Amino acid sequence: MFCNVYEGKKVLITGHTGFKGSWLTSWLLKLGAEVVGISQDIPTDPSMFEDLKLEKMITHYICDIRDLKSFNKIVVDERPDVVFHLAAQPIVSISYEDPVETITSNTIGTMNVMEILRKVDWQCAAVLITSDKSYDNVEQVWGYKEDDSLGGKDIYSGSKGAAELIIKSYFYSFFLNKNHPVKLAVGRAGNVIGGGDWARDRIIVDTVKAWSKQKSVGIRCPDATRPWQHVLEPLSGYLSLAQNLLLVGTADGEGFNFGPRAEQNKTVTNLLTAMSHFWGNEIAAQPFTITDNIPFKEAGLLKLNCDKALFYLTWEATLDYNSTVELTAQWYSAYYSEYIDLFELTNKQIEQYQGKALERESQWTK
């Protein structure tokens, strides 16, 4: 997998205790990497990171990446071969409650990553993760391309657009045409689902918590259409991107979208109907109800054009819609139905995903 580039490599992940970070940590361990994680805290309760007991398998740091001095010391001491920057305030509703926390986490944190990377004096590849909400969403029916306008109209989107501008300005000021030892690129994805996400105000999280008690879940925006994708899809993209930076370098300084197949743009109602089909436990007679209570504006449509990732990285999504939902439902259903080894379950799903990618002869499986 990934030309074995991660075997024996030291990989640093910011935000490793979060949902994506826990899945990425698990996959990198499976690929033979030595993982170093930096996070401000354990962001949720329950926590996938804690349930998988990942702290015992990696080098684990609690550090706010807005603290430049402490953050820099960890990076210099560890000297990673690869950096994945995932740390962020990722919840739209929280951005309305605490815009300062959102903006500083997503911009100052990113600035500190770039400031540290510009002083690195060893060979390193860095993938910085922002969001599909970096784009100025005008609800166009075609997918956003990497050269479309950035910067949304809400605090969260604005913070992500600002992070992109910080990365761009640092790259052109300090990394471009200077024989810098760091090669870096940006990954953008959104609407990721999968087992182990426990963040607030997430439709899947609210749903499985309700269904575990045989209750109906209330949904506020049933017709909102999203490109739902399993968490392993963008992670395979991020890993492919770092592979390119390590071996080829053609992606240096570029941004890439990672999204699902076009047919996976489904409404919230479609998603929950499919989830109920794959849910293995007892469920309420009416799995969901429409509450029509929207405390903040949400875009009705947001999807990405991923042609650039296909051209540069030979990357494309692996899972069809049913497989995406089935893996998600099975993870949570197993979590609630009986005591199991969640690390083993997660690894099994990674193996299933790799198997489907092998069947499709995906480039990264070589």
Side-chain angles (χ1 to χ4, degrees):
M1 299 288 167
F2 304 103
C3 295
N4 295 322
V5 296
Y6 296 105
E7 180 73 37
K9 289 285 196 310
K10 181 176 285 190
V11 181
L12 186 148
I13 305 172
T14 71
H16 69 299
T17 58
F19 167 50
K20 270 189 183 179
S22 296
W23 276 96
L24 182 58
T25 297
S26 301
W27 200 351
L28 282 165
L29 289 172
K30 193 173 186 62
L31 294 171
E34 177 186 349
V35 178
V36 177
I38 302 175
S39 289
Q40 180 181 355
D41 53 24
I42 305 296
T44 62
D45 182 17
S47 160
M48 183 179 183
F49 180 80
E50 291 185 326
D51 286 336
L52 269 60
K53 301 178 175 59
L54 291 174
E55 182 176 350
K56 298 179 180 179
M57 307 176 200
I58 67 171
T59 302
H60 169 67
Y61 290 97
I62 293 296
C63 173
D64 189 334
I65 64 170
R66 290 171 292 188
D67 179 350
L68 179 59
K69 183 177 179 180
S70 299
F71 183 18
N72 183 70
K73 184 178 187 306
I74 294 170
V75 176
V76 171
D77 287 348
E78 294 290 348
R79 296 177 65 89
D81 302 296
V82 184
V83 173
F84 289 100
H85 172 49
L86 279 69
Q89 194 297 96
I91 308 299
V92 174
S93 60
I94 293 177
S95 73
Y96 283 84
E97 298 169 7
D98 196 343
V100 173
E101 173 71 17
T102 301
I103 292 170
T104 57
S105 293
N106 297 349
T107 60
I108 301 302
T110 298
M111 180 192 72
N112 284 348
V113 172
M114 297 301 294
E115 177 65 14
I116 291 168
L117 288 174
R118 82 176 179 94
K119 297 178 181 179
V120 161
D121 59 3
W122 63 89
Q123 296 295 318
C124 180
V127 176
L128 298 98
I129 310 308
T130 58
S131 170
D132 60 349
K133 293 180 178 62
S134 299
Y135 294 105
D136 183 13
N137 186 10
V138 294
E139 301 195 25
Q140 61 192 30
V141 296
W142 51 88
Y144 290 90
K145 298 184 293 183
E146 287 82 354
D147 57 359
D148 280 332
S149 298
L150 299 172
K153 299 176 181 66
D154 63 276
I155 292 293
Y156 177 77
S157 300
S159 73
K160 289 298 188 178
E164 291 269 3
L165 291 176
I166 290 168
I167 295 167
K168 180 180 179 179
S169 62
Y170 259 86
F171 177 78
Y172 282 96
S173 296
F174 303 114
F175 295 83
L176 182 64
N177 298 327
K178 297 181 185 294
N179 297 316
H180 201 284
V182 175
K183 303 297 181 187
L184 63 91
V186 173
R188 301 171 189 143
N191 299 106
V192 173
I193 62 176
D197 184 6
W198 297 109
R200 55 172 276 191
D201 297 332
R202 295 270 176 85
I203 184 62
I204 293 293
V205 181
D206 292 345
T207 296
V208 298
K209 284 183 176 180
W211 289 357
S212 71
K213 300 174 184 177
Q214 299 177 35
K215 294 182 177 179
S216 176
V217 64
I219 56 176
R220 62 173 179 259
C221 204
D223 297 324
T225 301
R226 296 289 184 265
W228 310 103
Q229 63 177 326
H230 192 272
V231 62
L232 291 173
E233 299 276 42
L235 293 187
S236 70
Y238 305 160
L239 290 165
S240 297
L241 188 48
Q243 176 191 343
N244 175 284
L245 296 172
L246 287 166
L247 299 181
V248 184
T250 54
D252 190 28
E254 299 287 335
F256 290 86
N257 294 333
F258 298 104
R261 304 177 191 178
E263 69 268 19
Q264 292 185 210
N265 286 289
K266 302 287 187 179
T267 66
V268 170
T269 301
N270 294 149
L271 176 66
L272 297 192
T273 300
M275 276 283 292
S276 66
H277 175 73
F278 293 113
W279 186 254
N281 301 312
E282 290 187 40
I283 199 168
Q286 188 175 2
F288 57 87
T289 56
I290 299 171
T291 63
D292 199 27
N293 176 25
I294 307 174
F296 52 87
K297 184 182 185 300
E298 291 184 295
L301 176 68
L302 179 59
K303 61 181 179 179
L304 300 177
N305 180 308
C306 301
D307 290 347
K308 185 176 179 180
L310 178 62
F311 179 80
Y312 276 89
L313 308 174
T314 322
W315 180 92
E316 58 184 338
T318 295
L319 300 176
D320 59 30
Y321 180 68
N322 282 338
S323 296
T324 296
V325 179
E326 183 176 14
L327 283 174
T328 302
Q330 285 179 347
W331 198 101
Y332 285 112
S333 182
Y335 177 92
Y336 280 113
S337 62
E338 59 185 274
Y339 178 79
I340 59 171
D341 185 327
L342 290 173
F343 182 71
E344 182 179 338
L345 170 64
T346 300
N347 272 311
K348 181 179 178 181
Q349 291 202 339
I350 292 172
E351 289 169 3
Q352 289 176 306
Y353 179 75
Q354 291 179 160
K356 289 181 180 294
L358 279 167
E359 291 175 5
R360 291 177 57 85
E361 299 182 340
S362 297
Q363 185 70 25
W364 59 264
T365 61
K366 298 177 182 178

